[in-house]
Amino acid sequence: MLETDALRLLVVVAETGSFTKAASRLSYTQSAVSRRVAALEQQAGGPLFERLPRGVRLNPAGRALHRHALEVLDRLSRAERELAVLHTGLGGLLHVGAFATANISLVPTALRALRDVRPDVEVVAVEGWTDTLMERLADGALDLAVVSDYPSGLPSADGVTTTVLCEDELFVALPRWHRLAGAEAVDLCELRDEAWLHSAYGDRPTMLADACARAGFTPRKIIRIAEWTAKFGYAAAGLGVALVPSLAARAVPEELVLRRLTDSAVRRTVHVALPVAPLPAALKLRDLLAAPGSGP
């Protein structure tokens, strides 16, 4: 294994053409340089320099190793600079995860603000379910995640800390011509005969199942649709109604109205999750997510 110090010595000796001058530049003794060069040549399998009456110069093997040494040392230098920038929070990669509706407005707004104050930070965005995001944080694949405590509470993960970001109230999305579109608040019982647009129902806890159970009924029909754009399209066509988080309000088309529910428990809590030793850029993004105007 060729050590970086030995490669640096090779480069300096090649530049100066002299063991004596290389020793002076590196604050070594001439004998120390001679010993280190001899050890490097032994590792390389043969001589690297031609010994001349006045100094030394690279031989073909030395020129080959010198070319690789320059590349290795340059990459290490760039790595050191990148790590220094990363740990000061002024640049580098930042891996950010969030659930779908947080990516409609909350996260993009904060990322735009981060770009303004930390233009050299490059964000890699990932979308996923909360349990998956927490696992990726624990594995070190993410530097920050926006997660939710619904439906089964906020999952724990080793080496991950969480702080409350905001409360996310759920509304019901209705076509503008719906009989309840003009109501100030809607009781779910008034929607017992509607078809509901939902990604899943019955196979795991859902906000809709809990809310309808508290209201004393089971939806007569569930249309399983995962994507929010499709839910909005079906609702606008009058094919069903849907619960919509306040975080998604900006994406609701004009053909729909959002109405509050009389059941104030239909809400979830949004959290920011970080590793125990977060990057400075992740802490800055956390602060921007919590800034006034970033929440629902």
Side-chain angles (χ1 to χ4, degrees):
M1 179 71 72
L2 299 175
E3 298 180 354
T4 56
D5 285 346
L7 295 179
R8 288 192 180 94
L9 176 60
L10 174 75
V11 170
V12 173
V13 173
E15 288 177 353
T16 61
S18 164
F19 288 174
T20 302
K21 292 179 180 179
S24 175
R25 181 183 294 187
L26 296 171
S27 299
Y28 292 160
T29 64
Q30 183 174 346
S31 60
V33 170
S34 298
R35 288 195 304 271
R36 291 185 179 212
V37 169
L40 177 60
E41 289 180 321
Q42 184 176 7
Q43 284 184 298
L48 299 171
F49 293 94
E50 297 177 9
R51 272 66 174 179
L52 305 173
R54 294 183 179 179
V56 296
R57 69 183 176 192
L58 294 169
N59 64 17
R63 289 194 295 271
L65 183 57
H66 180 262
R67 183 177 67 253
H68 290 292
L70 290 176
E71 294 177 0
V72 169
L73 295 173
D74 178 64
R75 290 183 68 88
L76 287 174
S77 177
R78 283 187 284 156
E80 290 172 355
R81 292 196 300 270
E82 183 175 335
L83 289 172
V85 169
L86 183 68
H87 289 301
T88 59
L90 299 177
L93 292 177
L94 184 68
H95 294 80
V96 177
F99 56 87
T101 50
N103 277 330
I104 291 176
S105 177
L106 175 65
V107 172
T109 299
L111 289 179
R112 181 180 59 195
L114 180 68
R115 184 185 62 188
D116 292 339
V117 296
R118 299 285 191 272
D120 292 327
V121 173
E122 182 179 349
V123 174
V124 178
V126 175
E127 186 172 290
W129 298 99
T130 286
D131 53 355
T132 301
L133 296 175
M134 294 290 280
E135 290 173 2
R136 297 194 68 174
L137 270 170
D139 292 340
L142 290 177
D143 301 309
L144 176 148
V146 178
V147 296
S148 167
D149 66 350
Y150 197 86
S152 53
L154 193 64
S156 61
D158 292 339
V160 176
T161 63
T162 60
T163 55
V164 174
L165 183 59
C166 61
E167 292 292 315
D168 190 18
E169 182 180 1
L170 270 76
F171 301 91
V172 61
L174 305 169
R176 287 193 173 275
W177 45 262
H178 193 278
R179 59 187 174 83
L180 297 175
E184 183 175 342
V186 174
D187 191 315
L188 276 179
C189 287
E190 298 180 90
L191 299 170
R192 64 169 59 244
D193 295 326
E194 299 281 352
W196 285 88
L197 308 166
H198 205 272
S199 57
Y201 194 94
D203 52 353
R204 60 187 177 88
T206 65
M207 187 79 75
L208 177 61
D210 286 355
C212 291
R214 285 196 301 273
F217 72 95
T218 299
R220 69 172 183 85
K221 183 179 180 181
I222 297 292
I223 301 176
R224 289 179 178 251
I225 297 180
E227 298 296 331
W228 284 102
T229 51
K231 288 179 184 178
F232 295 152
Y234 271 62
L239 299 176
V241 297
L243 289 181
V244 176
S246 60
L247 288 177
R250 290 191 181 183
V252 175
E254 294 182 357
E255 296 88 344
L256 298 177
V257 295
L258 297 182
R259 292 295 175 257
R260 277 194 162 83
L261 298 171
T262 56
D263 183 357
S264 61
V266 187
R267 63 180 60 237
R268 61 185 175 181
T269 305
V270 179
H271 303 251
V272 176
L274 292 165
V276 172
L279 293 174
L283 293 174
K284 183 61 179 179
L285 179 57
R286 178 201 61 187
D287 295 342
L288 293 170
L289 284 163
S294 296

